Amino acid sequence: MNSLVLLVVGVGTMALGYAFYSKHLARRVLRLDPDYRTPAHQMNDGVDYVPTNKFVLWGHHFTSVAGAAPIVGPAIAVIWGWLPAFIWVTLGTVFFAGMHDLGALWASARHRGQSMGSLSGRYIGARGRNLFLVVIFLLLLMVNAAFAVVISGLLVSTPTAVIPTWGAIAVALVIGQLIYRFKVGLLWPSIGGVLVLYSLIVIGDRVPVVLPETVLGLPAASFWIVVLFVYAGIASMLPVWVLLQPRDYINGLQLFIGLGILFAAVVIASPTVVAPAFNTNLPENTPSIVPLLFVTVACGAISGFHGMVSSGTSSKQLSKETDARFVGYFGSVGEGLLALGAIIAATAGFATLADWEAVYSAFGSGGVGAFVAGGGAILNTGLGIPVGLSATVLATMAVLFAATTMDTGLRLQRFVVQEVAQIAGKRVGTVAATLIALAFCLGLAFGAGGDGAGGMVIWPLFGTTNQLLAALTLSIISVVLIRAGRNPMYTLVPLAFVLVMSVYALAVQAVQFYEQQNWLLFGMDVVIFVAALWVAVEAAQAMNRERKRAEPDPVVGDVPEPESAAGVGAPRA
């Protein structure tokens, strides 16, 4: 199989999905209103609620949702063969992820930017909300702690990525000032920012930063983890326009260009996919493809984390409701394209089937390493980019995706802490909530792992927890659609599929953890299993109640609140 066929079919399918299916969802199902006054305008505070140019907001949304997972998941899942992963990524992006991300963004924007956890309280009850928040908090804990491990590992294994990784922060700070303080249009900061970022990659390739084996008594990887959490904590408290928005926007441009370079190399080199379409020579102890494929490839097909970003940060920055189609649906398409690139790199970036099988010698092998090595080989063959520089480009892409997700993830975790405190009748400030979130993340990283890698201890539950959250998010959107008198089939079909596969996977994993006597993961598995089923039952009851309503609520949402004091304005294109 020529990899060019996968590229054309995959990109073509996602492009058609955005051109036609997303337009149908926006116009006929969600009925996006260009005159609706969004929370960014209703509650503009210059910190979290900021009306934002749709291209800048797309950059934030895309890079926040597209962390390391859409690279890691597909690059592991090809162990079952390239065809199942390819089908799930392409169709999942078009019919599952697009509606999930767009629907969550719309539902939150219609309810003063409230998170899906808060909306669950409104639409399915307080008990369901509390259980929903448990699942959300555990998922955020996994994402923040594990992504810190992934980033630190790449900074140690690929020291040429250190300078561009940290240099991107300085670039973002400058761009934020130019756009918001000095009202410079997007064009020149965008061009200048991308040029500087790629210049930093070239500099980093020539000037690798290698830390000593121990720094301040910590191993190099553990030191990077501490630095990453300190940075993420500070970044999560800054107004979104200072660092979060410009960092995600310029990274989004740079990363999309990097993905374009990879695809261009595929077009020129047209490497052969050496991995089998269906792998019948699976390594020992490889789990069954059903249901594990559908939780191994989460980000890149459908991901519950996207719903948290859509309703946690993106909905608070949406300037026009009609921008939700571009930000939400096209954001999921961007991640689908990244997952497609990971599949091609991990299956066509090897010289022979034997070379590929040597890497995929056990379930869980491959991942980021296969993406960097395979993609680097394709860039070298197709565009003549030196192997070392190719590895730096791809490693930097992986680090920046993961780092922007950490930025957003810690901010979201702070929101969850504040929501829980509010439910308990307490008020927790921004700094205190951030410190609480950091304490949990660092406690997991160093308490469970001892060396900072503790985030990987509960990582085996990430895929199933993430997909369960996607199903629960779709259930909330379904209730909102039914109340509004809209057709809920666009959410109920993916909801049913994802819920069945996730619960099935949780049950399979529970048996494995029990047999391994891994009581921590077994206990967490059971808690998540019970919480998810409980919320699903209450959501089903809520849907039934809404169907029996005498009259639908065609407006959908809360009465707009008075506009707060003017904050920092939106950029002009």
Side-chain angles (χ1 to χ4, degrees), residues 5 15 41 87 102 111 144 176 205 228 230 308 321 332 345 366 378 380 394 423 431 441 463 482 491 497 520 543 571:
V5 175
H41 292 284
I87 292 174
L102 172 58
H111 295 84
N144 292 333
D205 186 58
L228 284 164
V230 170
M308 289 191 291
E321 189 175 74
S332 67
I378 293 174
N380 177 253
L394 295 175
I423 292 170
V431 175
C441 292
I482 293 171
T491 51
F497 181 84
L520 172 63
M543 291 181 207

Side-chain angles (χ1 to χ4, degrees), residues 201-294:
I201 289 176
V202 174
I203 294 171
D205 186 58
R206 296 182 180 182
V207 187
V209 178
V210 181
L211 294 182
E213 289 188 10
T214 59
V215 182
L216 300 178
L218 293 172
S222 300
F223 174 77
W224 279 130
I225 289 173
V226 173
V227 172
L228 284 164
F229 274 122
V230 170
Y231 157 73
I234 295 172
S236 70
M237 291 186 289
L238 292 174
V240 291
W241 65 270
V242 173
L243 181 58
L244 185 72
Q245 280 184 0
R247 174 176 164 82
D248 290 354
Y249 170 67
I250 199 63
N251 281 346
L253 289 180
Q254 186 252 344
L255 296 170
F256 225 65
I257 291 171
L259 196 58
I261 292 172
L262 176 61
F263 286 167
V266 171
V267 172
I268 294 171
S270 299
T272 300
V273 176
V274 299
F278 291 97
N279 189 9
T280 57
N281 187 29
L282 291 170
E284 189 178 355
N285 297 324
T286 300
S288 171
I289 188 172
V290 177
L292 268 297
L293 169 68
F294 303 102

Side-chain angles (χ1 to χ4, degrees), residues 215-486:
V215 182
L216 300 178
L218 293 172
S222 300
F223 174 77
W224 279 130
I225 289 173
V226 173
V227 172
L228 284 164
F229 274 122
V230 170
Y231 157 73
I234 295 172
S236 70
M237 291 186 289
L238 292 174
V240 291
W241 65 270
V242 173
L243 181 58
L244 185 72
Q245 280 184 0
R247 174 176 164 82
D248 290 354
Y249 170 67
I250 199 63
N251 281 346
L253 289 180
Q254 186 252 344
L255 296 170
F256 225 65
I257 291 171
L259 196 58
I261 292 172
L262 176 61
F263 286 167
V266 171
V267 172
I268 294 171
S270 299
T272 300
V273 176
V274 299
F278 291 97
N279 189 9
T280 57
N281 187 29
L282 291 170
E284 189 178 355
N285 297 324
T286 300
S288 171
I289 188 172
V290 177
L292 268 297
L293 169 68
F294 303 102
V295 296
T296 300
V297 182
C299 300
I302 182 172
S303 165
F305 182 73
H306 293 203
M308 289 191 291
V309 175
S310 291
S311 65
T313 56
S314 298
S315 64
K316 296 175 176 63
Q317 303 169 57
L318 192 69
S319 185
K320 290 185 178 180
E321 189 175 74
T322 48
D323 291 346
R325 176 182 170 231
F326 180 77
V327 174
Y329 196 100
F330 191 61
S332 67
V333 168
E335 185 177 71
L337 292 174
L338 177 60
L340 174 63
I343 291 173
I344 293 174
T347 57
F350 298 88
T352 65
L353 175 59
D355 292 337
W356 182 82
E357 289 179 334
V359 172
Y360 286 85
S361 57
F363 182 72
S365 56
V368 174
F371 170 74
V372 172
I378 293 174
L379 289 177
N380 177 253
T381 303
L383 300 176
I385 301 175
V387 174
L389 180 58
S390 298
T392 301
V393 170
L394 295 175
T396 302
M397 281 179 61
V399 168
L400 292 181
F401 272 125
T404 50
T405 299
M406 268 192 74
D407 289 1
T408 302
L410 201 63
R411 186 179 291 259
L412 291 172
Q413 202 163 12
R414 184 245 295 175
F415 290 159
V416 172
V417 170
Q418 290 176 307
E419 281 187 35
V420 171
Q422 187 176 16
I423 292 170
K426 306 292 183 182
R427 185 182 184 280
V428 178
T430 298
V431 175
T434 302
L435 291 175
I436 292 172
L438 281 173
F440 273 99
C441 292
L442 288 170
L444 173 63
F446 289 92
D451 58 357
M456 303 310 292
V457 171
I458 61 174
W459 185 251
L461 281 172
F462 168 76
T464 46
T465 307
N466 193 34
Q467 298 305 73
L468 275 172
L469 186 59
L472 299 180
T473 298
L474 287 169
S475 71
I476 303 303
I477 302 170
S478 299
V479 176
V480 177
L481 287 173
I482 293 171
R483 171 170 287 194
R486 317 278 175 82

Side-chain angles (χ1 to χ4, degrees), residues 38-45 49-52 315-319:
T38 63
H41 292 284
Q42 294 177 32
M43 307 167 68
N44 186 354
D45 62 3
Y49 292 83
V50 179
T52 304
S315 64
K316 296 175 176 63
Q317 303 169 57
L318 192 69
S319 185

